[in-house]
Amino acid sequence: MPVGDGLFLSASDGRPMYQQIVDQVAAKVAAGDWPAGHALPSIRELASASQVSVITVKRAYLELERAGLIVTRHGKGSFVAETQELPKALLRADLEGRLREVARAAARLGVGIDELKRLLVAAHDDQASHTAARPEEATR
Amino acid sequence: MTAAFTLSGVCKRYPAFALEDVDLALPEGEIMGLVGVNGAGKSTLLRLLGGLALPDRGTIEVLGHPMPAQQVQAKREIGLASEDMRLYGSQTLRWHMDLVRAAYPRWDEAYAGELLRRFDLRAAQPLKAFSHGQRVKALLLLNLARRPRLLLLDEPTTGLDPVARAEVLEALSEVLRDAARSVLFSSHDTHDIERLADRITFLHGGRVIDARDTAAFLDDWRRIVCHGALPASVGQWDGVASVRANGSLSELRVRGAEAVVGLLRAAGADVRSVDPMNLEEIFVATVRGGGKH
């Protein structure tokens, strides 16, 4: 029986396995399931509990480290980063994920980079005017 | 660091089949998946590693023991499960468990009991009353409960129903917890392998046609769809394994997509999508692309 720390990964999810791990760990941190300083399961534990290869989890942890979400201390394992920047790092990781999705959708449609830039600028301006019109919803 | 096994220049010839020039190694603590069609040489390779057959040429080392010189020591730490393994039909599973337990002092009775429960097997039942799936699980139990340092599994999930397959994969992924244990398993179900294996080896016609870590395989191959006329030479480009055209659309399966996408754009083609491929598609592309060395 898989124990509590297993992640829910699916082969029918379009994202690669390591990306699914990155996203789920980020979601756990965002939800407060794993607070700052929380020790992540060891790579082997998580691989075993989630039934994926060790190499896949290693790669996910490296990505999470690069994004500043976790820190790895030699011989001690990985922990959720203590940084004040955490919410920002999470939002940024989320934004980058969404942009990758946009890029994929554009490629499927055959929308080139110039047209994509135009669409992005339009979306940006639209959002800016929205925020200006209703300042109480501007959260930042 | 010890290697779980090392094969160098290994050849094994049978009248109708030959395994040729196999160089392959697995670092300790890793899982390797062996992918190949029937008759590719997967079972021969596993039998050589398990000490059930001798190579005609080349050297084999298992867990630091040269084979066959130290095969007695090696076999103590190897668990080999393959379909042609004989179990005694008239005897119960309990009888088999006691037999293995007497031969291997590292037998873990508590773990065996847990596997019995998980695999939903009855120890008091004679083996001849077992279904195919139950026999496969029984054989796996007899091997896993010995806690061998190298597990050699020949098609451990073939012919299992989806529930039994999930049980077997769960038990296999538990082995991952221990950094001193390694697994080599063959399958023609690439989905099992893609998910669990750190390394993947493609075997075809008795030769290793590609062997790398799983991420490298999946990162390397892409399916490119583009629009517009392509140069006639595109099939000969480096890394292009296959080209199919349908009207003005073409689909390419390539290794090293970046270079090919650059060339396609330079040739005036409109690249519509570049998508990852799964292991099954990569295997077929490698075999068709004549991945011979």
Side-chain angles (χ1 to χ4, degrees), chain A residues 59-135:
Chain A
R59 185 171 185 185
Y61 276 26
L62 271 177
E63 295 263 320
L64 286 161
E65 246 180 274
R66 214 172 298 150
L69 241 73
I70 67 171
V71 286
T72 299
R73 292 190 213 117
H74 264 292
K76 299 211 162 156
S78 301
F79 302 84
V80 176
E82 298 273 4
T83 164
Q84 304 293 318
E85 296 289 294
L86 200 54
K88 233 180 185 171
L90 278 172
L91 285 169
R92 190 163 180 96
D94 180 54
L95 173 65
E96 282 170 9
R98 283 165 197 268
L99 285 173
R100 274 194 296 272
E101 269 168 43
V102 168
R104 267 197 296 276
R108 271 200 296 276
L109 262 176
V111 168
I113 185 65
D114 292 327
E115 195 182 346
L116 187 58
K117 277 181 191 160
R118 269 198 301 278
L119 287 169
L120 188 61
V121 168
H124 179 266
D125 292 350
D126 190 39
Q127 156 72 15
S129 66
H130 238 75
T131 320
R134 286 183 291 170

Side-chain angles (χ1 to χ4, degrees), chain B residues 16-290:
Chain B
F17 169 79
L19 198 64
E20 303 271 10
D21 294 323
V22 173
D23 293 303
L24 201 61
L26 178 65
E28 188 167 53
E30 296 199 359
I31 295 196
M32 181 186 276
L34 208 51
V35 184
V37 295
N38 291 328
K42 304 188 297 276
S43 300
T44 303
L45 191 61
L46 287 162
R47 291 172 60 81
L48 285 167
L49 284 167
L52 298 183
L54 289 174
D56 297 328
R57 242 181 328 119
T59 56
I60 301 177
E61 218 172 84
V62 178
L63 298 163
H65 302 295
M67 304 283 274
Q70 295 180 13
Q71 61 167 321
V72 177
Q73 292 94 315
K75 280 180 179 172
R76 226 175 271 151
E77 313 201 83
I78 298 174
L80 173 66
S82 88
E83 249 224 273
D84 54 4
M85 221 102 198
R86 295 274 165 77
L87 296 173
Y88 295 90
S90 58
Q91 301 290 354
T92 64
L93 176 54
R94 183 70 254 175
W95 181 89
H96 285 85
M97 288 163 72
D98 290 337
L99 186 75
V100 176
R101 184 185 188 176
Y104 296 94
R106 285 229 306 266
W107 176 267
D108 185 337
E109 183 61 29
Y111 185 34
E114 192 194 313
L115 287 170
L116 264 182
R117 221 170 339 101
R118 173 173 323 149
F119 287 167
D120 200 15
L121 296 172
R122 285 181 39 220
Q125 202 168 20
L127 264 291
K128 61 170 179 272
F130 276 32
S131 69
H132 166 75
Q134 288 170 325
R135 255 199 317 278
V136 170
K137 290 193 285 187
L139 195 55
L140 201 59
L141 178 152
L142 292 171
N143 276 289
L144 283 171
R146 280 174 44 207
R147 297 204 179 272
R149 279 175 61 207
L150 175 61
L151 261 175
L152 303 170
L153 307 174
D154 199 0
E155 305 269 355
T157 56
T158 301
L160 297 186
D161 63 68
V163 175
R165 207 173 124 246
E167 288 166 353
V168 165
L169 290 175
E170 252 167 52
L172 247 186
S173 60
E174 235 158 63
V175 177
L176 288 180
R177 270 178 214 281
D178 187 345
R181 301 178 69 191
S182 319
V183 181
L184 174 63
F185 75 110
S186 69
S187 179
H188 45 235
D189 186 338
T190 50
H191 301 288
D192 295 346
I193 286 185
E194 181 168 346
R195 185 152 176 168
L196 276 181
D198 297 300
R199 279 165 198 277
I200 291 167
T201 297
F202 287 166
L203 212 56
H204 193 65
R207 285 176 188 273
V208 172
I209 54 171
D210 209 347
R212 279 179 295 154
D213 74 60
T214 312
F217 265 115
L218 299 177
D219 284 350
D220 223 23
W221 283 89
R222 289 290 182 270
R223 184 177 48 243
I224 301 174
V225 174
C226 55
H227 187 237
L230 298 181
S233 65
V234 72
Q236 270 78 56
W237 289 3
D238 236 16
V240 175
S242 73
V243 185
R244 293 190 304 172
N246 183 346
S248 62
L249 280 179
S250 310
E251 186 221 55
L252 289 78
R253 299 188 174 210
V254 307
R255 251 180 99 158
E258 242 169 82
V260 177
V261 167
L263 287 170
L264 285 168
R265 292 219 164 102
D270 172 19
V271 175
R272 289 293 174 89
S273 67
V274 181
D275 288 317
M277 291 164 61
N278 65 31
L279 192 61
E280 186 168 318
E281 296 167 325
I282 294 172
F283 175 64
V284 172
T286 306
V287 168
R288 291 219 177 120

